[in-house]
Amino acid sequence: VMLNQGVCLTKLGNIHGAKEAMEASAALVRETGLVDTPTGAEVFRNLCAVNLELDDLPGAEEAILTAIAVCQRTCTTDAAIGGNVHRNHAAVLWEKRDALGAFEAATKAAKCFTSGGLDQLASEASDLAAKAKARCRPKKKASD
């Protein structure tokens, strides 16, 4: 319920209320042992997104790394969850100016989305990967 409340508050533009709801959700999944479930991954992915909205890069990074660890521990095969986790990771790395890391994470997101037949999301993730890859290329220097 708190996860849904956080998502709704985000859509309504109440980002601070959303963060409170997401933090409560994170505490709840930890307390109830539901961290290592698809719901746990979604809670931390959404907490990452809220923290990115609030320019809390350390909070966003901590949340997405938790979501990634959950996905790895649970071996989730849900293409939407895996793709969204990788896409949020790419966003965090992009904000940290880690273009190569963002490229790698966006590529993983595209693969997850593609495996689940989520073509539009796969296309968006591929676009992000291309944008990050372009930033990785060294700029040509003007010759004297």
Side-chain angles (χ1 to χ4, degrees), residues 8 13 15 19 26 36 47-50 63 71-72 75 94 101 109 114 120-121 125 127 131-132 134 140:
C8 288
I15 202 72
K19 181 170 180 162
D36 288 336
L47 180 57
C48 168
V50 168
C71 288
Q72 290 171 340
C75 299
W94 182 262
T114 299
Q120 179 61 39
L121 293 172
D127 291 348
K131 182 178 170 183
K140 293 183 180 181

Side-chain angles (χ1 to χ4, degrees), residues 82-127:
N84 282 323
V85 166
H86 288 302
R87 183 175 56 186
N88 282 37
H89 190 213
V92 168
L93 293 168
W94 182 262
E95 289 299 317
K96 290 182 71 176
R97 307 283 190 252
D98 179 355
L100 179 58
F103 166 73
E104 292 169 347
T107 300
K108 288 178 185 176
K111 287 179 182 175
C112 285
F113 290 138
T114 299
S115 74
L118 303 167
D119 297 336
Q120 179 61 39
L121 293 172
S123 176
E124 291 170 11
S126 293
D127 291 348

